[in-house]
Amino acid sequence: MKQYLLVSFLFGALTASAWNVGTDPTRKSALIEEFTGIQCSNCPDGHRIATALANLHPEDVYIVAVHAGYFSDPRPGQPDFVTETGKAIHDYFGVSSYPCGDVNRHDYGNGIILSRSNWGAACREALKEQSPVNLWSVCSYDATTRTLKVDVEGYYTADMNEPRLTVWLLQNEILGPQSGGNMGEEYPHRHMLRAKLTTDDFGDPIGEKTAGEYFARTFEYFLPEAINDVATDPVNTQVLCFVSDGATDICKVSESRPDTSGMEQLFSVSTSQPPIAIGKNYAMDYVEIYINNHGGIDVTSATFDLDINGMTETVEWIGLVPARTNLPVKVPVTDAWGEAVDNENNQYAIRMMKANGREVETASIRGKFNELFSYPDKLTVTIKTDLDAGDNTWRIIDRQGNVVKEFGPFEDGVVAEYTDNVELRPDQIYGLEVFDCWGDGVRHPIGSVKIYDADGKAVTTIREISGYGFRQFFRTYESAGVANLVSDSQVTDVKYYDLSGRPVANPSCGIYLVRSTYSDGHITTEKHIISE
């Protein structure tokens, strides 16, 4: 295997405008190094969790699948996905259970090596920090010489102690066995580490390391026909670059793909559940489905079979999911779905049959839901946040997904209760939606939603807000009156926040969130307009 490393030192004569890398301070990236193996039956769930995080946070969260450890050892006749670099990293961190992974090779409170349930929380913490370095990369491929060329640029916004640059070759759409994948020998392995372009398994030292300095490196890599007898495919390759401080503490990540538009492109499409799936009940006039476009051809149309209670109808979706992207789309439901919202029990199945007019093999998304709840049209909603309130959105939506009422934003890092009054139209269908963008719920400590009617009587209390949250749909009925749950106690503290949730010490003209604390401990949050 040939590998050429060209190092360029481009500082001095060049002005800032000659560089592609930015100079403004940025947040750190989050890189999930997922330790996996083809004999690991729980690893497909790890792949799903990592992919969901990357889908929700593009340009911030990156994935590499590292096949290493005893679950990665191939049996006779199976492909070998193990790399020496992957083994070195695996052994360095003493990995012993699978699937597991690290986020930036850093301890964010639960150790460096994490179970899959803790990846989201660690990514959230990583993105709160400012990166000392910015990174930019681009790659190209020469099909005649099978040469992959990678250009990398960096700029320091702060000093670093021991900066190291790592450049890896990743590959997608490698079909092979996977225990627990339920796809035989056709499980699609993605983000797989195939080779390193830098010399050291833990990155090559960068001489420049002072705030205000640039660095540039160029790599040329001969892409062999196969690695460990597993075929390579330039169409499905990507290059992952990152800067770490020493062997650990990854700061910034850049990912690029070679332009292979002149080569035959793969057409590969799958579907998956959105973060908030259909729950206890459902009343939208569409179903949200992720179309995962793994190939190099844009998806502009799709045909779905929608089954509700044994009745199957075909619907068309028109839109755009660009090549190599995963996006949620709204698939219109049929009249039968609309009529089922008040049924006590409903069984459903959703399956993509065609994409771009081509037949595709996708799994059905199945489940069940029950009838609507009944809520009064005048509600008092009390929300108890957790310490990660910045992760969460709380809102009421209509059947088209339009926001009717949004609560908050609420102060991050504070556990508090907020009360708001909501007046809706009677005999209409709405949905209460709570969404957690990192998938670890409102549980730090456990938060809740309490809804009261106009007389102060509890309508519902929801305390188990886990995962990415929930939607709960209800039909409104006319209330007899309105009651204010706030007591006659005195206001003891008032704080102002801008609409992004940042504290404002001396508010001037504008719109603010006003948080009032009462002598009985009750807290309310309202929007106020200061005109002069």
Side-chain angles (χ1 to χ4, degrees), residues 120-196:
C123 288
R124 175 186 63 231
E125 295 306 310
L127 295 178
K128 291 179 180 179
E129 299 177 355
Q130 183 172 308
S131 174
V133 62
N134 294 340
L135 199 62
W136 174 90
S137 67
V138 68
C139 64
S140 60
Y141 179 71
D142 186 329
T144 303
T145 62
R146 293 189 65 86
T147 300
L148 188 70
K149 181 182 178 182
V150 183
D151 292 309
V152 185
E153 294 179 6
Y155 175 81
Y156 293 100
T157 60
D159 294 349
M160 291 188 68
N161 295 319
E162 189 189 343
R164 288 175 169 265
L165 174 65
T166 295
V167 181
W168 282 346
L169 175 70
L170 276 54
Q171 188 172 335
N172 299 291
E173 306 311 305
I174 298 178
L175 301 183
Q178 176 62 63
S179 178
N182 300 317
M183 300 181 71
E185 302 293 311
E186 300 293 313
Y187 185 87
H189 294 274
R190 301 183 176 113
H191 316 288
M192 184 190 294
L193 174 60
R194 300 302 318 273
K196 69 177 188 291

Side-chain angles (χ1 to χ4, degrees), residues 375-401:
Y375 290 175
D377 60 350
K378 296 179 178 63
L379 305 170
T380 298
V381 179
T382 298
I383 294 170
K384 182 180 179 182
T385 63
D386 66 2
L387 290 170
D388 301 314
D391 297 354
N392 306 317
T393 56
W394 313 70
R395 60 188 194 172
I396 293 175
I397 58 176
D398 63 18
R399 299 190 71 177
Q400 292 76 45

Side-chain angles (χ1 to χ4, degrees), residues 142-444:
D142 186 329
T144 303
T145 62
R146 293 189 65 86
T147 300
L148 188 70
K149 181 182 178 182
V150 183
D151 292 309
V152 185
E153 294 179 6
Y155 175 81
Y156 293 100
T157 60
D159 294 349
M160 291 188 68
N161 295 319
E162 189 189 343
R164 288 175 169 265
L165 174 65
T166 295
V167 181
W168 282 346
L169 175 70
L170 276 54
Q171 188 172 335
N172 299 291
E173 306 311 305
I174 298 178
L175 301 183
Q178 176 62 63
S179 178
N182 300 317
M183 300 181 71
E185 302 293 311
E186 300 293 313
Y187 185 87
H189 294 274
R190 301 183 176 113
H191 316 288
M192 184 190 294
L193 174 60
R194 300 302 318 273
K196 69 177 188 291
L197 277 65
T198 37
T199 303
D200 193 280
D201 289 330
F202 291 90
D204 295 345
I206 307 172
E208 306 89 334
K209 58 182 178 180
T210 304
E213 283 191 291
Y214 291 88
F215 68 84
R217 303 290 186 270
T218 297
F219 302 84
E220 288 189 357
Y221 176 79
F222 174 76
L223 186 67
E225 295 285 347
I227 298 173
N228 288 353
D229 294 325
V230 176
T232 62
D233 181 2
V235 169
N236 291 311
T237 59
Q238 62 191 95
V239 174
L240 184 76
C241 307
F242 59 88
V243 173
S244 60
D245 206 344
T248 59
D249 291 313
I250 294 169
C251 300
K252 201 68 177 177
V253 182
S254 178
E255 194 173 69
S256 58
R257 296 174 183 270
D259 180 4
T260 57
S261 54
M263 305 175 65
E264 183 178 356
Q265 298 297 309
L266 176 74
F267 186 76
S268 175
V269 181
S270 67
T271 56
S272 59
Q273 294 266 24
I276 300 180
I278 294 175
K280 293 181 179 179
N281 56 26
Y282 196 76
M284 305 291 281
D285 62 6
Y286 61 87
V287 288
E288 188 178 66
I289 300 293
Y290 259 88
I291 293 182
N292 307 305
N293 186 358
H294 311 292
I297 301 171
D298 294 348
V299 174
T300 57
S301 65
T303 302
F304 289 84
D305 276 359
L306 301 184
D307 184 290
I308 185 73
N309 299 326
M311 179 184 297
T312 302
E313 296 183 75
T314 300
V315 299
E316 299 289 331
W317 167 83
I318 303 294
L320 174 64
V321 180
R324 301 185 181 89
T325 61
N326 308 311
L327 293 177
V329 302
K330 296 178 178 180
V331 180
V333 298
T334 62
D335 291 340
W337 281 67
E339 296 167 359
V341 298
D342 291 312
N343 291 349
E344 185 176 352
N345 293 295
N346 299 287
Q347 304 281 336
Y348 69 88
I350 306 164
R351 185 178 182 185
M352 178 192 284
M353 306 302 293
K354 294 182 179 180
N356 290 4
R358 305 187 191 185
E359 292 187 0
V360 292
E361 292 290 334
T362 60
S364 294
I365 297 173
R366 299 178 178 274
K368 59 184 179 180
F369 62 89
N370 300 320
E371 74 274 17
L372 298 174
F373 293 97
S374 293
Y375 290 175
D377 60 350
K378 296 179 178 63
L379 305 170
T380 298
V381 179
T382 298
I383 294 170
K384 182 180 179 182
T385 63
D386 66 2
L387 290 170
D388 301 314
D391 297 354
N392 306 317
T393 56
W394 313 70
R395 60 188 194 172
I396 293 175
I397 58 176
D398 63 18
R399 299 190 71 177
Q400 292 76 45
N402 301 311
V403 178
V404 175
K405 171 70 176 180
E406 187 158 14
F407 305 93
F410 302 127
E411 187 177 0
D412 209 14
V414 175
V415 175
E417 282 194 351
Y418 304 88
T419 295
D420 208 338
N421 294 318
V422 181
E423 186 169 346
L424 304 171
R425 295 170 57 192
D427 198 27
Q428 299 293 314
I429 296 175
Y430 299 95
L432 172 65
E433 178 184 278
V434 181
F435 177 65
D436 182 275
C437 68
W438 290 110
D440 59 348
V442 187
R443 305 180 61 83
H444 316 105

